[in-house]
PDB file of all heavy atoms in Angstrom:
ATOM      1  N   GLN A1703     120.267  92.937 123.975  1.00  0.00           N
ATOM      2  CA  GLN A1703     121.237  91.866 123.761  1.00  0.00           C
ATOM      3  C   GLN A1703     121.825  91.938 122.351  1.00  0.00           C
ATOM      4  O   GLN A1703     123.042  91.794 122.156  1.00  0.00           O
ATOM      5  CB  GLN A1703     120.546  90.511 123.973  1.00  0.00           C
ATOM      6  CG  GLN A1703     121.488  89.327 124.021  1.00  0.00           C
ATOM      7  CD  GLN A1703     120.753  88.029 124.298  1.00  0.00           C
ATOM      8  OE1 GLN A1703     119.516  88.001 124.315  1.00  0.00           O
ATOM      9  NE2 GLN A1703     121.475  86.959 124.497  1.00  0.00           N
ATOM     10  N   LEU A1704     120.973  92.198 121.370  1.00  0.00           N
ATOM     11  CA  LEU A1704     121.456  92.335 119.983  1.00  0.00           C
ATOM     12  C   LEU A1704     122.365  93.550 119.837  1.00  0.00           C
ATOM     13  O   LEU A1704     123.429  93.472 119.214  1.00  0.00           O
ATOM     14  CB  LEU A1704     120.274  92.448 119.026  1.00  0.00           C
ATOM     15  CG  LEU A1704     119.371  91.218 118.882  1.00  0.00           C
ATOM     16  CD1 LEU A1704     118.186  91.541 117.982  1.00  0.00           C
ATOM     17  CD2 LEU A1704     120.148  90.047 118.324  1.00  0.00           C
ATOM     18  N   TYR A1705     121.959  94.687 120.434  1.00  0.00           N
ATOM     19  CA  TYR A1705     122.772  95.893 120.347  1.00  0.00           C
ATOM     20  C   TYR A1705     124.155  95.652 120.961  1.00  0.00           C
ATOM     21  O   TYR A1705     125.178  96.105 120.422  1.00  0.00           O
ATOM     22  CB  TYR A1705     122.103  97.067 121.073  1.00  0.00           C
ATOM     23  CG  TYR A1705     120.696  97.369 120.616  1.00  0.00           C
ATOM     24  CD1 TYR A1705     119.771  97.947 121.488  1.00  0.00           C
ATOM     25  CD2 TYR A1705     120.281  97.089 119.320  1.00  0.00           C
ATOM     26  CE1 TYR A1705     118.485  98.238 121.088  1.00  0.00           C
ATOM     27  CE2 TYR A1705     118.987  97.376 118.916  1.00  0.00           C
ATOM     28  CZ  TYR A1705     118.094  97.945 119.808  1.00  0.00           C
ATOM     29  OH  TYR A1705     116.813  98.214 119.408  1.00  0.00           O
ATOM     30  N   ARG A1706     124.156  94.979 122.080  1.00  0.00           N
ATOM     31  CA  ARG A1706     125.421  94.744 122.774  1.00  0.00           C
ATOM     32  C   ARG A1706     126.383  93.945 121.910  1.00  0.00           C
ATOM     33  O   ARG A1706     127.580  94.273 121.816  1.00  0.00           O
ATOM     34  CB  ARG A1706     125.142  93.992 124.075  1.00  0.00           C
ATOM     35  CG  ARG A1706     126.411  93.552 124.808  1.00  0.00           C
ATOM     36  CD  ARG A1706     126.051  92.869 126.113  1.00  0.00           C
ATOM     37  NE  ARG A1706     127.266  92.551 126.839  1.00  0.00           N
ATOM     38  CZ  ARG A1706     127.933  91.395 126.738  1.00  0.00           C
ATOM     39  NH1 ARG A1706     127.496  90.465 125.922  1.00  0.00           N
ATOM     40  NH2 ARG A1706     129.029  91.178 127.435  1.00  0.00           N
ATOM     41  N   HIS A1707     125.872  92.905 121.264  1.00  0.00           N
ATOM     42  CA  HIS A1707     126.764  92.068 120.455  1.00  0.00           C
ATOM     43  C   HIS A1707     127.256  92.816 119.222  1.00  0.00           C
ATOM     44  O   HIS A1707     128.396  92.616 118.795  1.00  0.00           O
ATOM     45  CB  HIS A1707     126.050  90.771 120.062  1.00  0.00           C
ATOM     46  CG  HIS A1707     125.969  89.783 121.179  1.00  0.00           C
ATOM     47  ND1 HIS A1707     125.039  89.880 122.186  1.00  0.00           N
ATOM     48  CD2 HIS A1707     126.742  88.698 121.465  1.00  0.00           C
ATOM     49  CE1 HIS A1707     125.221  88.886 123.041  1.00  0.00           C
ATOM     50  NE2 HIS A1707     126.240  88.154 122.631  1.00  0.00           N
ATOM     51  N   ILE A1708     126.436  93.665 118.663  1.00  0.00           N
ATOM     52  CA  ILE A1708     126.889  94.477 117.529  1.00  0.00           C
ATOM     53  C   ILE A1708     127.944  95.474 117.994  1.00  0.00           C
ATOM     54  O   ILE A1708     128.990  95.655 117.350  1.00  0.00           O
ATOM     55  CB  ILE A1708     125.697  95.191 116.881  1.00  0.00           C
ATOM     56  CG1 ILE A1708     124.774  94.172 116.209  1.00  0.00           C
ATOM     57  CG2 ILE A1708     126.168  96.225 115.863  1.00  0.00           C
ATOM     58  CD1 ILE A1708     123.488  94.763 115.660  1.00  0.00           C
ATOM     59  N   TYR A1709     127.689  96.121 119.139  1.00  0.00           N
ATOM     60  CA  TYR A1709     128.612  97.120 119.677  1.00  0.00           C
ATOM     61  C   TYR A1709     129.982  96.500 119.964  1.00  0.00           C
ATOM     62  O   TYR A1709     131.017  97.011 119.525  1.00  0.00           O
ATOM     63  CB  TYR A1709     128.016  97.728 120.943  1.00  0.00           C
ATOM     64  CG  TYR A1709     128.879  98.772 121.611  1.00  0.00           C
ATOM     65  CD1 TYR A1709     128.866 100.098 121.187  1.00  0.00           C
ATOM     66  CD2 TYR A1709     129.713  98.425 122.677  1.00  0.00           C
ATOM     67  CE1 TYR A1709     129.658 101.058 121.796  1.00  0.00           C
ATOM     68  CE2 TYR A1709     130.507  99.376 123.305  1.00  0.00           C
ATOM     69  CZ  TYR A1709     130.477 100.692 122.860  1.00  0.00           C
ATOM     70  OH  TYR A1709     131.267 101.628 123.459  1.00  0.00           O
ATOM     71  N   LEU A1710     129.966  95.375 120.679  1.00  0.00           N
ATOM     72  CA  LEU A1710     131.238  94.746 121.034  1.00  0.00           C
ATOM     73  C   LEU A1710     131.895  94.117 119.804  1.00  0.00           C
ATOM     74  O   LEU A1710     133.121  94.078 119.703  1.00  0.00           O
ATOM     75  CB  LEU A1710     131.009  93.688 122.113  1.00  0.00           C
ATOM     76  CG  LEU A1710     130.493  94.216 123.457  1.00  0.00           C
ATOM     77  CD1 LEU A1710     130.260  93.071 124.425  1.00  0.00           C
ATOM     78  CD2 LEU A1710     131.473  95.205 124.051  1.00  0.00           C
ATOM     79  N   GLY A1711     131.076  93.616 118.878  1.00  0.00           N
ATOM     80  CA  GLY A1711     131.633  93.039 117.664  1.00  0.00           C
ATOM     81  C   GLY A1711     132.377  94.054 116.823  1.00  0.00           C
ATOM     82  O   GLY A1711     133.361  93.725 116.150  1.00  0.00           O
ATOM     83  N   CYS A1712     131.937  95.297 116.835  1.00  0.00           N
ATOM     84  CA  CYS A1712     132.620  96.357 116.080  1.00  0.00           C
ATOM     85  C   CYS A1712     133.984  96.688 116.666  1.00  0.00           C
ATOM     86  O   CYS A1712     134.856  97.217 115.964  1.00  0.00           O
ATOM     87  CB  CYS A1712     131.769  97.624 116.052  1.00  0.00           C
ATOM     88  SG  CYS A1712     130.285  97.511 115.035  1.00  0.00           S
ATOM     89  N   LYS A1713     134.192  96.376 117.933  1.00  0.00           N
ATOM     90  CA  LYS A1713     135.420  96.806 118.613  1.00  0.00           C
ATOM     91  C   LYS A1713     136.452  95.687 118.722  1.00  0.00           C
ATOM     92  O   LYS A1713     137.424  95.824 119.459  1.00  0.00           O
ATOM     93  CB  LYS A1713     135.069  97.333 120.012  1.00  0.00           C
ATOM     94  CG  LYS A1713     134.146  98.556 119.965  1.00  0.00           C
ATOM     95  CD  LYS A1713     133.613  98.924 121.333  1.00  0.00           C
ATOM     96  CE  LYS A1713     134.677  99.419 122.243  1.00  0.00           C
ATOM     97  NZ  LYS A1713     134.150  99.876 123.544  1.00  0.00           N
ATOM     98  N   GLU A1714     136.243  94.591 117.986  1.00  0.00           N
ATOM     99  CA  GLU A1714     137.227  93.508 118.018  1.00  0.00           C
ATOM    100  C   GLU A1714     138.459  93.885 117.191  1.00  0.00           C
ATOM    101  O   GLU A1714     138.336  94.438 116.104  1.00  0.00           O
ATOM    102  CB  GLU A1714     136.603  92.215 117.481  1.00  0.00           C
ATOM    103  CG  GLU A1714     135.515  91.625 118.366  1.00  0.00           C
ATOM    104  CD  GLU A1714     136.067  91.023 119.639  1.00  0.00           C
ATOM    105  OE1 GLU A1714     137.304  90.920 119.753  1.00  0.00           O
ATOM    106  OE2 GLU A1714     135.264  90.658 120.521  1.00  0.00           O
TER     107      GLU A1714
END
Side-chain angles (χ1 to χ4, degrees):
Q1703 190 177 8
L1704 294 175
Y1705 305 152
R1706 173 178 184 269
H1707 284 79
I1708 292 174
Y1709 179 84
L1710 296 178
C1712 289
K1713 298 170 67 176
E1714 292 288 351

